[in-house]
Amino acid sequence: MSKYKPYIDPSRRISRTARMRNRCIALFVFVLLCVGIGSCLSGNSNEEIPLVSEKVHQASQDTKQEDNAANHDSVSAEQAQAMEAEEESDMAAVSTPTPVESLGTAAPTGKNQDKDYIQKQKDPYLAEKIDNLLKAYRPPHAMVLVVDAKTNEILAWGERKDSVNQSKPDYLIRSTFPAASLAKTITIAAAMESNRYSLNTPIPMIGRAHRLYKNQLKVPEKYKGPTLALQDAYAMSANPPLAIIGMNVGAGKLKAAARNLGYNMNFAAKLPNRSTYAPPDTGFGLAEASCGFTDATTISPLLAAAQVRSILMKKPLEIPWSSNLEGFAPKKPLALEVGKFSENTYYGLRQAMIRSVTNGTARKNISTKHMARKNYDALTIGGKTGSLDGPDPYGRYDWFMGFAQSKENPNKAIIVVVMQIYDPQGIRPQPTTQVTAMVMNYWAHQYVTNKGSGK
């Protein structure tokens, strides 16, 4: 007998598809025989037949999937490019998550099923989009707010409390939420107002970026270690550099900047509630407040939106309004007795926010990963992320406040604030920056890149 295997003509080999089909048939026959034997023994053949059909169906699905995979491998480079371009232009692929109902999870019952609160919003289509996102990603607590940057009118909102979508935005004006790293905006505003810092001023970076210990604040006289530019320290949300800046600037300038951003103010009809910023004059507490590493600094989603709009429009702070949110927002535009930053400070804050998206903590998700390329390229996007544990409600607070502005027509712009709260020991919902990207993507498709839109 020859030790060599006989030659088999490749053209006569059975194809992968045929082999898989034969395996399915064999599996079907085997399962059918097993069921038949079991039926004879137990006399309950009628109860087993559905199991056979399920297994056969699954086997056929596996075959189809392998066939599709084989076909995909044979696609030409030109066809692949065409498919990729089509994928990028397909809004449903990036902006319409599967609702909870279609995932097999029962929808909440009760008043929250009433859709009137969606239809009454300024942009009901955007409100419906937000509502679907909250149902799909199911954060235990969340607030999503979208404001027209030009008019300062609330376009849409969505709220989720105790894992149920809400028909009233209670969280909109509440200020029990820790500001976390959103408070870093105060620090760089105070730094630029002092005229001692610019966006590119190098700041010592000692130790880990997202920790804060006393030894990270002790900068040697002739320090030669690593540094971060001020805008990069803000974009990467690095605690030690911002703490050092705050201690150098001083509590007085920090409080003045915080006042211009609406902290420690009593608003008319408590819309929103008073947000707190009270750094001590010296010591480690001043460092903590400067980088937001404390739950003593609090903010409401409505005030966060007002801050971003003030920075984008280079105007004194104004609280967003709505004609149909009585008890949760002012009914009309209302000027506040609050100071204004210098033009240089507004410019620096805006650029630092843009840096957060292009090179910082928001870069991963606010990108073409979750936005159609044509929409992403048509927008200037900036913002600030923040994350910290808080007590009311208890959980990890995950923030984003920012803006999306049309490059072609800067008058088209929105402010987006997203806050999610979840159990740090439990299942984390989709990242807040991902939810933000999907909201911006939908808005851009409707009003910026879609030339047939009415706006």
Side-chain angles (χ1 to χ4, degrees), residues 161-234:
K161 184 188 298 182
D162 297 323
S163 299
V164 177
N165 286 18
Q166 301 295 305
S167 59
K168 292 183 179 180
D170 302 273
Y171 286 164
L172 189 61
I173 60 174
R174 276 184 59 177
S175 60
T176 61
F177 312 129
S181 288
L182 303 191
K184 288 181 171 72
T185 305
I186 302 172
T187 306
I188 66 167
M192 286 183 280
E193 283 289 284
S194 71
N195 294 321
R196 294 169 54 189
Y197 293 86
S198 69
L199 288 174
N200 295 316
T201 301
I203 316 296
M205 177 63 228
I206 303 172
R208 298 180 64 180
H210 299 138
R211 295 289 185 268
L212 187 67
Y213 300 105
K214 291 182 179 180
N215 64 340
Q216 293 178 283
L217 307 176
K218 298 176 181 178
V219 183
E221 186 175 348
K222 295 182 179 180
Y223 178 77
K224 296 183 179 179
T227 61
L228 278 178
L230 182 145
Q231 64 177 339
D232 289 325
Y234 179 84

Side-chain angles (χ1 to χ4, degrees), residues 93-284:
V94 293
S95 64
T96 308
T98 306
V100 170
E101 291 84 353
S102 64
L103 294 174
T105 303
T109 58
K111 293 183 179 179
N112 297 332
Q113 288 299 96
D114 184 3
K115 295 294 184 179
D116 285 348
Y117 70 96
I118 292 178
Q119 297 302 321
K120 290 178 181 178
Q121 296 188 42
K122 180 71 175 180
D123 189 334
Y125 298 104
L126 182 57
E128 181 73 23
K129 172 68 179 177
I130 293 171
D131 191 70
N132 287 338
L133 284 171
L134 293 177
K135 287 179 180 178
Y137 295 146
R138 294 176 284 185
H141 302 269
M143 181 75 222
V144 181
L145 174 63
V146 181
V147 177
D148 186 291
K150 184 178 180 181
T151 65
N152 204 25
E153 184 176 7
I154 296 174
L155 296 177
W157 60 269
E159 180 177 310
R160 192 169 174 87
K161 184 188 298 182
D162 297 323
S163 299
V164 177
N165 286 18
Q166 301 295 305
S167 59
K168 292 183 179 180
D170 302 273
Y171 286 164
L172 189 61
I173 60 174
R174 276 184 59 177
S175 60
T176 61
F177 312 129
S181 288
L182 303 191
K184 288 181 171 72
T185 305
I186 302 172
T187 306
I188 66 167
M192 286 183 280
E193 283 289 284
S194 71
N195 294 321
R196 294 169 54 189
Y197 293 86
S198 69
L199 288 174
N200 295 316
T201 301
I203 316 296
M205 177 63 228
I206 303 172
R208 298 180 64 180
H210 299 138
R211 295 289 185 268
L212 187 67
Y213 300 105
K214 291 182 179 180
N215 64 340
Q216 293 178 283
L217 307 176
K218 298 176 181 178
V219 183
E221 186 175 348
K222 295 182 179 180
Y223 178 77
K224 296 183 179 179
T227 61
L228 278 178
L230 182 145
Q231 64 177 339
D232 289 325
Y234 179 84
M236 298 176 185
S237 210
N239 288 329
L242 271 296
I244 291 170
I245 293 172
M247 296 181 73
N248 291 339
V249 169
K253 286 185 171 60
L254 289 173
K255 290 177 182 178
R259 173 78 180 180
N260 283 356
L261 291 171
Y263 287 94
N264 303 323
M265 290 185 65
N266 294 322
F267 299 101
K270 296 183 178 181
L271 301 176
N273 300 153
R274 181 187 178 98
S275 294
T276 304
Y277 183 77
D281 292 335
T282 59
F284 190 66

Side-chain angles (χ1 to χ4, degrees), residues 147 152-154 173 262 267 271-272 300 302-303 305-307 309 316-322 328-330 332-336:
V147 177
N152 204 25
E153 184 176 7
I154 296 174
I173 60 174
F267 299 101
L271 301 176
S300 65
L302 196 60
L303 181 59
Q307 291 177 1
R309 196 236 177 197
L317 189 88
E318 295 179 9
I319 300 300
W321 62 278
S322 175
F328 300 102
K332 58 183 179 180
L334 180 65
L336 302 173

Side-chain angles (χ1 to χ4, degrees), residues 84 87-91 93-95 357 362-382 400 403-405 414 416 433-445 448-449:
E84 183 178 356
E87 247 182 16
E88 288 179 355
S89 64
D90 185 4
M91 293 302 303
V94 293
S95 64
V357 175
R363 178 181 181 181
K364 178 180 178 180
N365 290 312
I366 303 183
S367 64
T368 52
K369 182 178 180 181
H370 299 295
M371 299 179 68
R373 181 171 294 279
K374 65 175 182 179
N375 295 333
Y376 180 80
D377 291 342
L379 300 174
T380 299
I381 304 174
F400 179 85
F403 62 85
Q405 185 175 38
I414 54 170
V416 180
T433 46
Q434 179 177 333
V435 176
T436 300
M438 290 183 169
V439 171
M440 290 179 173
N441 187 64
Y442 178 84
W443 174 80
H445 179 69
V448 178
T449 60

